[in-house]
Amino acid sequence: MLGRLPLVRKFFQMFRNDFDSEAYWSNRYEQGRISGAGSYGRLADYKAEVINSLVNEFEISSVLEFGSGDGNQASLFEIDTYTGLDVAHQVVEAARERFKDRAGWSFDTVKNANTAPRSRDMTMSLDVIYHLVEEAVFDRYLADLFAASDRFVLIYASDHNALTLNSHVKHRCYSDWVNANAPEFGAIRTLKSPFPKTAMSDTKDTSFAFFRLYQRLEA
């Protein structure tokens, strides 16, 4: 059976040609489902601890998150000026209502957002990159993510190329893209995950993702 898995993956990939990640997440939220286990529980607590620590250490005053989801992860952030972007209008509208009393916080759809170059201290991507199945979407996402940052880019994702049996998951070696397309940024910190996913791990409490912090090198 194990020897047949590569063939199964190749066969499954044939049906991804028409996959629409925006439609997938919009439909998911329309059904009342959450962003995912990574935005809840100990994984969410861990990510918030790391992010809040970096914001304090580097005196980051403004953050733009590409893919803020249902907002549960954002509820743990301690950031003065925060903008959450998402492709699904349902979660954007819900987040606007949920965080309406937080001064300096805003939410918008990706289509309507202002992602002007170098407009934020830090841009951020959490558990998103490996969901970008389409090549053009992947390229555009990373281009916007790095262009909008004036100082730092924080990524929480896997960083290897691999197919999966899930239609909405495709692991990406995003660091290769950064090296080729955003050489003005350099990785200054990589944090090993304290809850790595293994064959025997609980998928709700573990992850194949880890943090990497990039800094703009040019003056």
Side-chain angles (χ1 to χ4, degrees):
M1 178 64 181
L2 290 178
R4 295 174 57 191
L5 283 179
L7 292 177
V8 173
R9 290 194 178 98
K10 289 181 180 179
F11 179 79
F12 190 78
Q13 286 298 305
M14 294 171 60
F15 297 93
R16 292 194 177 188
N17 292 336
D18 296 326
F19 186 83
D20 186 328
S21 56
E22 179 175 346
Y24 170 83
W25 288 101
S26 294
N27 291 336
R28 180 183 175 115
Y29 292 128
E30 188 70 35
Q31 296 168 9
R33 298 171 64 188
I34 63 173
S35 291
S39 296
Y40 290 79
R42 69 178 185 179
L43 289 174
D45 291 339
Y46 163 67
K47 285 187 282 184
E49 181 180 359
V50 170
I51 291 164
N52 292 334
S53 177
L54 291 174
V55 165
N56 181 65
E57 177 183 352
F58 293 104
E59 299 181 340
I60 295 168
S61 61
S62 60
V63 172
L64 176 61
E65 182 179 4
F66 286 77
S68 49
D70 62 19
N72 190 73
Q73 180 68 77
S75 69
L76 304 175
F77 297 156
E78 298 171 0
I79 301 170
D80 291 338
T81 302
Y82 169 87
T83 300
L85 304 182
D86 205 90
V87 296
H89 69 87
Q90 300 95 329
V91 289
V92 168
E93 293 167 2
R96 285 173 175 169
E97 177 62 25
R98 179 176 183 178
F99 299 104
K100 63 183 179 182
D101 295 328
R102 284 210 187 187
W105 278 44
S106 63
F107 294 83
D108 209 342
T109 61
V110 173
K111 289 182 179 179
N112 297 329
N114 175 14
T115 57
R118 305 186 69 161
S119 58
R120 301 297 196 285
D121 282 346
M122 183 171 80
T123 56
M124 188 163 62
S125 172
L126 309 176
D127 286 310
V128 173
I129 292 176
Y130 53 83
H131 288 301
L132 306 177
V133 175
E134 312 97 313
E135 297 301 319
V137 173
F138 169 75
D139 287 335
R140 182 73 263 164
Y141 178 89
L142 284 181
D144 290 343
L145 179 72
F146 278 83
S149 172
D150 188 47
R151 298 172 61 199
F152 300 99
V153 175
L154 181 63
I155 294 176
Y156 181 78
S158 55
D159 189 31
H160 64 279
N161 292 318
L163 304 178
T164 76
L165 296 179
N166 293 321
S167 62
H168 60 94
V169 176
K170 181 178 181 180
H171 293 293
R172 304 278 196 170
C173 188
Y174 70 82
S175 59
D176 285 348
W177 186 99
V178 177
N179 292 336
N181 298 281
E184 69 274 22
F185 282 89
I188 63 170
R189 190 171 302 178
T190 298
L191 302 178
K192 184 178 179 180
S193 172
F195 310 114
K197 186 182 295 296
T198 67
M200 302 298 293
S201 65
D202 178 359
T203 58
K204 293 183 179 180
D205 292 318
T206 61
S207 177
F208 37 62
F210 62 93
F211 277 110
R212 180 171 289 136
L213 181 67
Y214 288 89
Q215 184 174 21
R216 187 180 286 275
L217 303 177
E218 63 183 24

